[in-house]
Amino acid sequence: MEFNGRFIVLILFVITRVNSLAYDVHWLSGPATIERDVQPLKQTIDIYCYTGTPKNLLTLWQTVKFHIKIKNDEFSQYLGDNPEQVYKDYTEDSYGWAINPFQKKSYKSVSLDIFTPTCMAVNTKEKHSIELHVQRVDLWRVLMMVVGAALIFMSRTLSGNPVFFYLCGIVIGVSASFMVLVYYISRFIPGRTLTYGLLIGGWTVGVYLVQQIWENIRSIMAAYQSYIFWYILMAGFISFVVCYRIGPPKNQRSKNLVMWTLQGVGVVVIIFSSQYQEASTAVTVITLGTKYFPKSILYYIQAFWRRRFPPKPRLLSSEEYYEQGARETQRALDGLRRYCASPDCQQWSVMLRLHDAKRFASFVEGNSHLNDDEVIDYESYAFSMEHSKPVANSTRNMEISDDDSSEYGDED
C-alpha cells in the first residue's frame, strides 16, 4: 500500500510537471513583435500575454491590439484572462474534448482591455508573427470625444438648423428602411423550425445563426455594392422628400426634445470614447457643467477680479501720441465738414457770425482748414521746440571727447 501511494504521488508530480511545461508564456508590456516558424516536433505552445497598465490620464485615448500577421485565415485563436484558461481552451479544442461546431470566427486584429491582463494563443500550421500594437493617442477616440463635446455645446443651435434636420432625417430614413427590409425577409424563415432548433441546440445555435446572418449580410454587401448604392440613394431621396414635406420643427418643445436627444448622444459618445471610464465620465460632467454654468456667476467673478486686480494702463509713447493726435484731429475735421454740409447745419446763420465766410466755404468744400501762413508758423514752432530740448548724454560725451582731444593736441 505504501508503494502504491508513492507511485500515485510520483504520477501526479509527473503530470503536474508536464502540464507546467506544456506552454511558454511571453509577457508583453509594450510594443513588440514575435515571429514564429512551423515546428512540428515542438511539444509546447506559445501564449502571448499583455500585462496591462495602471490607470492614469496618459491612457485616456490609448488603444492596445494584438495583430496576427499570417498569409491566410487558416488559424484559430484563444483568448483568456490568464495562461491557464487559454491553455485549457487550446487543449480542449485540439483533442476534441469539447467539440464546438459554432466556434467564433478568428480575427487578425484583436482589441484588448488596456487595464486588464489578457492572454492569447494561436493554433496554425503557417508561419506567422504576433505584434502587440500600443497606440498612445488613438485619433479615433480623440475625434469621438471632440464630437461628443461639440454635440453638447451646439445642441441648441443644431436643434433649429434645417440642414442638420435634413441630414438626420436621411440617416434615420435609410436605417429604418434596412430594418423594414430585414423584417420582411425574416418572415420567410420558418419560425417553428427555428424555435425547435433553439430549444434543442441552446444558445450556441442562436449565436451560430446570428454569425451566419451577419456573414451573409457582409457577403451580400460585398457582392452587390452597386445595387446597395442605388438602394441607399433612393431611400435617402425618399427620406429627404418626407422631411421636406414635414419641415423642420418650429415648436419650442419639439426643439427642446431634439436638443436633449443630441446632448444624450454626446454624453454616450464621450463616455465610450475611452476605456478609462472614470476619466471619460469626469470629462462628461465637466462639459455639462461648463454648458449650464450660470453666466451671472461668471460675470460676478470677472468683475470681482478686475476690482481686486485692476489692469495697469499702458502709457503712449511720443510717436503714438502724435500719431493718435493727427488721426483724431483728421477724424474730427471730417465729421465737422460732414455736419456743415448737412441740412441740419444752418450755413447762412453760421457765415454771418464768421469773420472770413469764404474760408469757411472753402473748408466745407474739402480744402484745408489752415492757410499757408499758419502752416509756416506751426512748422517754425515745432522746429524751435525740437531744438530747445536738453542735449543728450551721448552728445555731451561727444563734446567732452572733442574738447579732450583738443587739449591733448595743445599739449603736443
Side-chain angles (χ1 to χ4, degrees), residues 142-406:
V142 176
L143 180 62
M144 287 180 62
M145 186 168 290
V146 171
V147 169
L151 286 176
I152 292 176
F153 281 109
M154 301 177 61
S155 57
R156 185 177 298 276
T157 304
L158 294 177
S159 61
N161 192 339
V163 178
F164 183 77
F165 169 76
Y166 291 131
L167 289 177
C168 290
I170 291 172
V171 173
I172 294 174
V174 173
S175 303
S177 65
F178 271 114
M179 295 178 65
V180 172
L181 184 62
V182 170
Y183 170 74
Y184 279 105
I185 292 176
S186 63
R187 295 186 63 180
F188 293 98
I189 300 176
R192 183 171 298 179
T193 304
L194 180 61
T195 304
Y196 290 156
L198 291 175
L199 292 176
I200 296 173
W203 63 271
T204 55
V205 175
V207 173
Y208 172 74
L209 291 176
V210 171
Q211 291 180 356
Q212 291 298 318
I213 292 173
W214 175 247
E215 293 296 331
N216 291 333
I217 292 175
R218 292 179 59 183
S219 61
I220 290 173
M221 293 180 66
Y224 302 97
Q225 293 182 359
S226 59
Y227 294 99
I228 293 176
F229 171 77
W230 288 109
Y231 174 79
I232 294 175
L233 186 63
M234 292 299 298
F237 176 74
I238 295 173
S239 302
F240 173 78
V241 171
V242 174
C243 293
Y244 182 78
R245 177 64 182 83
I246 298 175
K250 297 181 179 180
N251 187 275
Q252 186 59 39
R253 293 189 176 182
S254 300
K255 293 182 179 180
N256 291 337
L257 291 175
V258 175
M259 180 183 66
W260 295 334
T261 303
L262 292 177
Q263 291 178 358
V265 173
V267 168
V268 173
V269 171
I270 293 178
I271 291 177
F272 288 97
S273 65
S274 174
Q275 295 188 21
Y276 194 180
Q277 298 292 325
E278 294 84 355
S280 60
T281 304
V283 172
T284 304
V285 173
I286 293 173
T287 304
L288 291 175
T290 306
K291 169 68 176 178
Y292 290 103
F293 190 80
K295 294 183 178 180
S296 58
I297 298 178
L298 183 63
Y299 294 152
Y300 176 78
I301 294 175
Q302 186 177 4
F304 175 78
W305 182 266
R306 288 183 177 179
R307 289 195 303 267
R308 186 67 178 82
F309 303 99
K312 295 182 180 180
R314 190 181 69 88
L315 302 179
L316 298 177
S317 61
S318 300
E319 292 78 5
E320 292 175 342
Y321 172 75
Y322 287 116
E323 181 183 356
Q324 182 178 1
R327 183 174 61 253
E328 295 299 329
T329 301
Q330 185 63 36
R331 183 183 301 174
L333 290 173
D334 293 339
L336 179 60
R337 186 178 287 110
R338 287 193 299 271
Y339 172 75
C340 293
S342 64
D344 297 335
C345 178
Q346 299 178 1
Q347 291 88 351
W348 292 106
S349 300
V350 174
M351 292 178 66
L352 289 175
R353 293 194 299 268
L354 293 177
H355 177 70
D356 192 352
K358 183 178 180 181
R359 183 177 177 182
F360 172 73
S362 177
F363 168 74
V364 175
E365 292 296 329
N367 295 325
S368 176
H369 65 289
L370 299 174
N371 54 29
D372 296 339
D373 296 335
E374 292 173 343
V375 173
I376 293 173
D377 293 340
Y378 174 76
E379 291 179 353
S380 300
Y381 172 76
F383 182 77
S384 62
M385 291 296 293
E386 183 70 23
H387 283 269
S388 64
K389 292 181 180 179
V391 181
N393 293 331
S394 61
T395 307
R396 294 177 181 176
N397 295 334
M398 183 64 70
E399 292 176 357
I400 293 172
S401 62
D402 291 340
D403 293 339
D404 291 341
S405 61
S406 62

Side-chain angles (χ1 to χ4, degrees), residues 59-180:
T59 60
L60 182 61
W61 298 308
Q62 183 171 319
T63 299
V64 180
K65 292 182 180 181
F66 268 135
H67 288 300
I68 304 175
K69 296 182 179 180
I70 191 171
K71 294 182 179 179
N72 50 40
D73 295 335
E74 297 179 358
F75 69 95
S76 300
Q77 60 185 192
Y78 310 91
L79 294 171
D81 297 334
N82 50 67
E84 291 77 12
Q85 181 180 354
V86 174
Y87 179 72
K88 179 181 178 182
D89 295 340
Y90 181 90
T91 53
E92 288 179 354
D93 184 65
S94 299
Y95 295 107
W97 294 344
I99 300 177
N100 184 13
F102 313 116
Q103 185 179 358
K104 293 176 64 177
K105 181 178 175 61
S106 300
Y107 298 96
K108 294 184 178 181
S109 181
V110 181
S111 298
L112 306 179
D113 187 352
I114 61 177
F115 306 117
T116 305
T118 307
C119 298
M120 182 185 69
V122 179
N123 185 8
T124 181
K125 297 181 180 180
E126 301 290 338
K127 179 180 178 181
H128 63 282
S129 63
I130 306 297
E131 178 185 3
L132 179 64
H133 181 68
V134 179
Q135 192 172 0
R136 302 296 179 184
V137 179
D138 191 348
L139 297 180
W140 175 249
R141 295 186 180 277
V142 176
L143 180 62
M144 287 180 62
M145 186 168 290
V146 171
V147 169
L151 286 176
I152 292 176
F153 281 109
M154 301 177 61
S155 57
R156 185 177 298 276
T157 304
L158 294 177
S159 61
N161 192 339
V163 178
F164 183 77
F165 169 76
Y166 291 131
L167 289 177
C168 290
I170 291 172
V171 173
I172 294 174
V174 173
S175 303
S177 65
F178 271 114
M179 295 178 65
V180 172

